Amino acid sequence: MSIQLRSRRGPIGTAWQAVALREAAERLLGPGRAGRGRADARAGRVQWLEVEPGAARAAVEDPDGGLHQARLDLPAYRDGDREVFLQVARAHPELPARLAAGTYPEQIEAELAPSMLSLLPRDAAELSHDCDCLDWPGPCRHVSALVYVLVEAVDEHPVHLLTLRGIRLEELVAPAGAAGQPRGEDADDPGDGAPDASGGAEAAPEAAPYDPRHTDPARLAEVVGEEAAAIIAAFYHAGTAEASSGSPAGHPGEDPVDGTAEGPVGGTAGDPLGGSGRGPARG
């Protein structure tokens, strides 16, 4: 069973993040290969799609029936970039629900820009590719078809961008008690013997950090809509159940997007290429 694109004509991908991904990838592909890949994707030649940290993989069928395994690479964040992204994301407690509901706010990209970061490829040079076909050095029509299936997947599920960058959706939630914490090693030190502004009076207790698990879903629905409110309520309540049982937030074999069993998107997986042992991606 192959993946059938929703788009039958015109550009593939309508949400802004899908358009941005498509435009960056098409600069890598070039017009000729982009056209062949788009036609193959719409013809249902992509059998399955698997998104993992740093790469998207797919099995793509040739017109003559041969099956090839293609890969598109977008590097996962390094540790420093990861921390910057999480700091920005955790300042928006509604972000996990919006991503799960299929929306990636452009505001997040605007806040990442001063740090020269983006969930999306910042240019075509950040993308690389590989395929087991003989079209060297590529990118081949199989990589191109993979690109368009990935674009439409990101159009509907922007959480795939998190996965590519090595971030799990649950990591966007600030750890309990982290809100309002002072930054820096000397945050508790008034510094250089400066007198305490309170004049020695006992400091008022700090307000408890916002805990979205206690948010009234009805009130949340007024802001983000009923569907998104239901998603975020289920997301946080699941986290509460895991914490009370002592289980870790992530379980082996679960998809980081929706917690279902890991597996390729659409079609019969075959070999998910996890142990393919192929050489480095072709640039």
Side-chain angles (χ1 to χ4, degrees):
M1 182 176 179
S2 62
I3 297 175
Q4 301 297 320
L5 293 189
R6 300 187 309 277
S7 169
R8 304 312 301 168
R9 63 180 62 189
I12 294 174
T14 57
W16 79 268
Q17 73 273 359
V19 173
L21 176 60
R22 185 190 73 224
E23 290 178 346
E26 285 179 342
R27 287 193 290 273
L28 173 72
L29 297 173
R33 294 180 189 275
R36 287 192 292 272
R38 191 162 50 242
D40 285 348
R42 284 184 168 138
R45 299 195 188 283
V46 178
Q47 303 302 300
W48 51 260
L49 171 70
E50 183 178 71
V51 181
E52 61 187 27
R57 304 171 185 269
V60 184
E61 187 179 29
D62 267 337
D64 62 6
L67 199 63
H68 297 281
Q69 297 173 349
R71 188 180 80 231
L72 182 74
D73 297 320
L74 178 65
Y77 282 147
R78 297 171 297 180
D79 288 344
D81 293 342
R82 178 188 184 87
E83 291 306 312
V84 171
F85 175 81
L86 290 177
Q87 182 178 9
V88 169
R90 288 169 178 173
H92 299 271
E94 78 288 355
L95 182 58
R98 297 192 69 179
L99 284 167
T103 301
Y104 177 40
E106 291 187 67
Q107 179 186 355
I108 303 300
E109 288 290 301
E111 295 180 20
L112 292 172
S115 301
M116 305 294 286
L117 282 182
S118 173
L119 268 187
L120 294 149
R122 299 187 64 242
D123 54 47
E126 199 174 5
L127 296 169
S128 57
H129 55 87
D130 190 23
C131 185
D132 62 5
C133 73
L134 300 179
D135 187 358
W136 178 262
C140 61
R141 66 189 300 165
H142 313 108
V143 169
S144 181
L146 157 61
V147 162
Y148 287 106
V149 168
L150 177 63
V151 164
E152 194 163 272
V154 166
D155 187 78
E156 186 174 3
H157 302 292
V159 173
H160 289 315
L161 294 173
L162 283 181
T163 303
L164 283 167
R165 293 300 196 177
I167 305 284
R168 301 190 310 276
L169 185 62
E170 56 265 31
E171 292 182 87
L172 304 191
V173 182
Q181 288 290 334
R183 298 178 185 173
E185 297 180 354
D186 300 326
D188 294 331
D189 185 358
D192 300 328
D196 187 346
S198 66
E202 182 178 351
E206 291 186 4
Y210 167 67
D211 188 346
R213 293 171 296 182
H214 300 156
T215 300
D216 182 355
R219 297 185 63 185
L220 185 62
E222 296 175 3
V223 180
V224 299
E226 293 184 2
E227 183 179 358
I231 292 172
I232 194 171
F235 176 79
Y236 287 115
H237 291 166
T240 304
E242 289 171 347
S244 62
S245 65
S247 299
H251 303 280
E254 288 190 353
D255 185 273
V257 173
D258 58 13
T260 57
E262 268 189 10
V265 177
T268 303
D271 178 6
L273 310 184
S276 63
R278 294 201 303 277
R282 304 170 185 168

